[in-house]
Amino acid sequence: MADLAITRELDAPLVVGEPSYSDVTESVSRIVENKMPRAWYIAFGVTATLTGVLLAMLAYLVTTGIGVWGNNQPVGWAFEITDFVFWIGIGHAGTLISAILLLLRQRWRTSINRFAEAMTLFAVACAAIFPAVHVGRPWRAYWLFPVPNEYLGIWQNFRSPLMWDVFAVSTYATVSALFWYTGLIPDLATLRNRAKTKARRIIFGILSLGWRGSARHWRHYEMAYLLLAGLSTPLVLSVHTIVSFDFAVSLIPGWHSTIFPPYFVAGAIFSGFAMVVTLMVIARQVFHLEHLVTMKHLENMNKVMLGTGLIVGFAYLTEFFIAWYSGNPYERFTFINRALGPYWWAFWIMVSCNVLVPQLFWFKRIRTSIPAMFVISILVNVGMWFERFVIIVVSLSRDFLPSSWGHFRPTYVDILTLTGSFGLFLTLFLLFVRFLPMISMSEVKSTLPRPAAARGGER
Amino acid sequence: MKEPMVRTGTAAAPQTAEKVSIYGVVAEFESPEALLEGVRAARALGYDKMDAYTPFPVHGIDEAMGIRRSRLGWIVLGGGIIGAVAAVLLQWWTGAVASPLVVGGKPLFAFEFGLPIIFELAVLLAAFAAVLGMLALNGLPRFYHPVFKYSRFDRAADDRFLLALEANGAGFDAEQAAEILKSAGGRHVEVVTE
C-alpha cells in the first residue's frame, strides 16, 4: 500500500474540521463507553419486539409446516426465497465498500467500511434463516452440508446450483466475519487501552488478542488485510452470481437467462448502498459523527446508487428486448405478463423505485439533501425487494401450460416473517453500535491530513 | 497502572540494567514524521534492533527500520491451493466413488459443475490462512509484552508513536539509547524491563 501515501497529499481532506488523532479516538470510542441516547433504547425496544415476532413466526412454521405460508403449486418459491435474495443482496455493499473500494484506492471508504461490513454480516445472518426453514424439516438443514449422516445414505448432488449456493453463502458469511474481525483488532486494542473498568480491560484485552501496534505486526496485518480484500472481491461477485444460477440454470421462462449474474450483482450493490445510506443517515445524526461521515461520503454513495441503478434499468430493458428478439413465445409471454398480468403492480413498483426514482440523484441538490436521500434509499430497497418478487413469484405463477398456472397470495405469516427479519437485522445493528466502534479509528487516522492531526499536546 | 520505570538521566539506569533484564528504551513521538526521524537517527548510530508502536501503519517505517516484506502471501497461496484440491476431491469422491448416481444424464464428476465449489473453498481456506497466518507470524494472541509496562503505552493506540530501542541489539547501551531518542525529539524516555 506504499503508493497510497502519494495520493494522500493530493486528495481533499476526507473529514471536516481538521480533527486530530485523539479527536477521532474520542468521538468514536465515547459512543461505546457512555450511556446510549434515549433514542437507542426506544429503537431497541421496537426492534427487539419485531425480533420476537420473527421468532414466533418461525416457531409456528417449524411446529406446523410450510403450509402456513402462501406457497402453492406452482409457486413453490415465494416470500422466503425473495427475502433470502433480498438480504444477501443487501450484504454486498458492505463487501464492496471494504474490499473493492480498498483495491480501487477509494480512500473515502475508511469512514463507512466498518459500518457497512457489520451490515453485511447481519444481512447474511437474516438471509441464512430463510433457506434453512424453507427445507421443511429445518432440524435436518445440516443435510445441506456434506457431513456424513445415518439417514441419508447418499451424498449431496454437486451438480445442482443449490449446492453451489450453500457453499457460496457459507463461505461469504465466514470470510466477511474474518475480514470484519481483522479490521476490528486495532480498534479493540484502543478500547482496551482506554478501558476504565477491569471487566472492560479484560474483555477487550482478550478480543484484541494482545495487539500492540508494533510496526512488525502492521506489516503482516496490512498484507493480510489487502489479501482478504483481494479474496473478497471475486468472492462477493461470485456469491450473487451463484445465487442467480439458482434461477438461470433452470428452464423456467424469465429465469433461464445468461444476463442474470451481472444483473444480480449490480442489483445487490444497488440495494446494499441504499441500506448503508438509510442507516448511516440516522447513525451519524444520533451519534454526532457528521465530521467523520461527511456529505461527501453520502454523496459518493448516492452516485454509486445512481450508477448501479442505471445498470439495473438497462438490464430490465435488455430482458424485454431479448424476450421479443428471441422469438420464444413463452419468454415473450412471461414479460408481457410481468408488466400487464395479475402482478402488474409489483412490476411497476419495481420500475418506479429502481429506475425512475434514482434518476433524481442526477441533481446535486437532491444528492446532497439528507431527507431526499433517506426517502430515496428506502424506496430503492422497496423496489429491490419487489424485483426479486417479480422474478421469482411472477415467473413461477405462469410458466408453460395455462392449465398448471396458479396465483400466489401471501399469508400473514409470510408478511410478519419478512417484517420480523428487519427486526432481527436492526437489533443486531443496534447491539453493534452499542458495543463496538462503528468507525474504523485506525483507518480514519491514517487518512487524516498530517500536520494538523498530530496536535493534541500533553495529557 | 504500573509505576513508570526508571527514568533515564538518573544515575540508576545503567546499574538497573545489570540486575533486571531490560527490554529496551522507549520514547514517545508526536507524529509519524517525528517517529521516522527517530528511527533513522538510531539506525545511523548502529542500533539495529528496534520496534515502533503506532495507532495506524506508518508509511515508510518498514524501509527505515529495515523490515522485509511480509511472506504472508505464500501462506495464503498455500491455503487457496489446499481449498481447491479439497473441493475437487470432495466432489469427485462423493459423486463418482462413494455414491455414484446419474442425475439428468450429467457426468458423475466434471470440472464444469465443480468449479463454483472449487472457487468457494479455495477462497475460504485462503481467507483462513490470511488471518491465522497473520496472527501466527505476529505471535498473537500474546497477552503480555514488556512494552505494555511503558507508562504512556495506552496512547500508542490513540495518538502517539512509540519507538523502542531493544536491549538485545548489538552494542546496546541504555544511556546512549536514551540520549539518541531524546536528541531525535522523543519524549518521556523510559527504560522498560522485561
Side-chain angles (χ1 to χ4, degrees):
Chain A
M1 305 226 273
D3 12 1
L4 284 185
I6 301 162
T7 49
R8 176 178 300 153
E9 314 299 329
L10 303 172
D11 279 345
L14 300 166
V15 292
V16 292
E18 299 202 339
S20 69
Y21 296 132
S22 61
D23 288 341
V24 173
T25 314
E26 190 57 35
S27 40
V28 178
S29 304
R30 63 148 195 248
I31 298 169
V32 295
E33 287 166 350
N34 296 340
K35 233 170 105 71
M36 285 280 116
R38 237 181 116 75
W40 186 89
Y41 288 96
I42 297 168
F44 190 77
V46 174
T47 62
T49 311
L50 283 176
T51 310
V53 171
L54 172 71
L55 295 176
M57 289 302 118
L58 292 178
Y60 180 41
L61 174 86
V62 171
T63 52
T64 315
I66 296 292
V68 302
W69 287 341
N71 297 29
N72 57 28
Q73 197 59 256
V75 187
W77 285 6
F79 260 47
E80 71 298 329
I81 303 298
T82 304
D83 300 343
F84 163 71
V85 179
F86 172 77
W87 280 120
I88 282 283
I90 297 283
H92 279 47
T95 320
L96 185 101
I97 291 170
S98 56
I100 300 183
L101 295 189
L102 178 78
L103 299 183
L104 294 177
R105 313 267 156 99
Q106 297 293 310
R107 296 181 64 83
W108 58 274
R109 67 180 269 291
T110 53
S111 293
I112 53 171
N113 69 332
R114 169 78 43 74
F115 198 80
E117 285 169 35
M119 190 191 73
T120 296
L121 282 180
F122 306 145
V124 174
C126 287
I129 293 172
F130 290 98
V133 294
H134 185 233
V135 297
R137 293 185 180 87
W139 52 94
R140 286 182 180 163
Y142 69 94
W143 284 9
L144 291 167
F145 294 94
V147 285
N149 63 76
E150 67 271 36
Y151 301 113
L152 213 51
I154 54 164
W155 288 93
Q156 285 73 15
N157 175 18
F158 289 104
R159 282 150 283 197
S160 162
L162 298 180
M163 271 314 287
W164 309 343
D165 210 8
V166 169
F167 278 78
V169 172
S170 46
T171 300
Y172 184 48
T174 314
V175 174
S176 301
L178 285 173
F179 201 3
W180 186 64
Y181 181 65
T182 305
L184 266 171
I185 292 173
D187 284 1
L188 292 170
T190 303
L191 290 180
R192 170 200 66 200
N193 290 3
R194 288 170 58 93
K196 297 276 191 303
T197 65
K198 193 162 179 159
R200 286 184 74 87
R201 208 170 176 95
I202 291 173
I203 292 168
F204 285 116
I206 292 171
L207 289 177
S208 63
L209 306 176
W211 180 260
R212 52 187 189 271
S214 152
R216 290 166 204 280
H217 290 183
W218 278 120
R219 161 190 62 148
H220 294 307
Y221 178 91
E222 281 201 285
M223 183 59 86
Y225 206 73
L226 195 62
L227 287 167
L228 282 174
L231 291 166
S232 301
T233 298
L235 175 65
V236 67
L237 300 179
S238 85
V239 174
H240 235 54
T241 298
I242 290 176
V243 169
S244 81
F245 284 167
D246 293 345
F247 306 100
V249 174
S250 80
L251 296 174
I252 302 285
W255 285 9
H256 187 61
S257 162
T258 49
I259 201 178
F260 265 30
Y263 161 33
F264 268 51
V265 171
I269 293 163
F270 182 48
S271 65
F273 267 85
M275 188 61 95
V276 181
V277 168
T278 309
L279 297 175
M280 204 40 142
V281 161
I282 303 173
R284 72 195 275 276
Q285 197 96 29
V286 171
F287 297 109
H288 310 293
L289 294 168
E290 288 94 340
H291 58 304
L292 296 180
V293 183
T294 63
M295 187 52 79
K296 179 161 173 64
H297 293 103
L298 297 173
E299 193 188 348
N300 278 357
M301 287 195 275
N302 293 337
K303 284 180 184 168
V304 174
M305 254 193 269
L306 177 60
T308 47
L310 286 172
I311 299 176
V312 167
F314 182 67
Y316 295 164
L317 277 180
T318 311
E319 277 193 308
F320 269 85
F321 171 77
I322 294 296
W324 166 75
Y325 187 70
S326 68
N328 179 332
Y330 300 105
E331 195 76 16
R332 274 190 199 182
F333 170 77
T334 293
F335 282 88
I336 293 168
N337 183 49
R338 275 186 189 176
L340 305 170
Y343 292 107
W344 61 271
W345 45 273
F347 176 83
W348 291 107
I349 291 174
M350 163 187 112
V351 170
S352 351
C353 292
N354 290 351
V355 185
L356 302 180
V357 170
Q359 302 310 317
L360 291 169
F361 282 145
W362 286 108
F363 303 101
K364 195 179 173 80
R365 278 270 300 280
I366 293 179
R367 219 159 53 215
T368 53
S369 151
I370 300 270
M373 72 176 82
F374 186 68
V375 172
I376 293 173
S377 66
I378 289 175
L379 287 178
V380 164
N381 266 321
V382 170
M384 283 308 294
W385 188 88
F386 274 98
E387 178 196 298
R388 279 65 174 253
F389 180 83
V390 165
I391 292 171
I392 294 167
V393 172
V394 181
S395 306
L396 282 175
S397 68
R398 294 186 163 187
D399 55 0
F400 298 99
L401 279 179
S403 60
S404 54
W405 286 358
H407 192 80
F408 167 82
R409 205 177 290 279
T411 64
Y412 79 93
V413 183
D414 279 314
I415 292 166
L416 287 182
T417 310
L418 170 62
T419 319
S421 69
F422 276 93
L424 175 64
F425 175 73
L426 294 172
T427 303
L428 292 171
F429 218 90
L430 287 168
L431 290 173
F432 158 69
V433 299
R434 169 71 188 81
F435 290 109
L436 292 170
M438 73 172 100
I439 290 180
S440 173
M441 294 182 266
S442 64
E443 282 198 58
V444 170
K445 284 177 201 167
S446 72
T447 65
L448 291 182
R450 272 303 161 68
R455 79 187 136 75
E458 288 302 306
R459 247 196 307 181
Chain B
M1 290 272 19
K2 283 269 173 206
E3 273 298 298
M5 293 303 115
V6 191
R7 303 264 172 185
T8 49
T10 66
Q15 280 85 341
T16 328
E18 307 285 318
K19 297 263 190 245
V20 202
S21 81
I22 291 183
Y23 161 66
V25 181
V26 184
E28 176 190 284
F29 293 84
E30 286 211 346
S31 70
E33 288 74 18
L35 172 73
L36 285 176
E37 300 253 313
V39 171
R40 291 199 192 98
R43 288 263 288 181
L45 287 162
Y47 279 81
D48 55 344
K49 288 277 191 179
M50 64 180 85
D51 206 345
Y53 301 92
T54 59
F56 56 85
V58 171
H59 167 65
I61 196 141
D62 294 3
E63 293 84 343
M65 279 172 56
I67 311 177
R68 284 181 304 122
R69 189 182 157 86
S70 173
R71 294 156 297 157
L72 188 63
W74 295 105
I75 299 175
V76 173
L77 179 66
I81 291 171
I82 292 171
V85 171
V88 172
L89 292 177
L90 170 73
Q91 296 181 81
W92 163 78
W93 182 77
T94 56
V97 181
S99 55
L101 187 68
V102 177
V103 179
K106 293 171 199 156
L108 295 173
F109 174 75
F111 279 94
E112 286 82 348
F113 67 68
L115 198 64
I117 293 179
I118 294 172
F119 172 78
E120 299 299 334
L121 280 190
V123 168
L124 182 68
L125 268 76
F128 270 108
V131 176
L132 299 180
M134 181 268 286
L135 292 176
L137 289 174
N138 286 345
L140 295 175
R142 174 179 175 181
F143 296 107
Y144 172 75
H145 190 274
V147 77
F148 288 150
K149 288 197 286 192
Y150 178 62
S151 64
R152 295 168 65 83
F153 177 76
D154 284 354
R155 290 187 70 173
D158 179 6
D159 63 343
R160 286 295 188 265
F161 303 81
L162 310 186
L163 180 58
L165 299 182
E166 293 172 357
N168 56 1
F172 175 83
D173 176 79
E175 211 157 316
Q176 190 199 9
E179 220 32 67
I180 294 170
L181 288 172
K182 257 187 204 163
S183 58
R187 297 198 297 179
H188 304 282
V189 182
E190 288 173 23
V191 176
V192 174
T193 53
E194 281 283 358

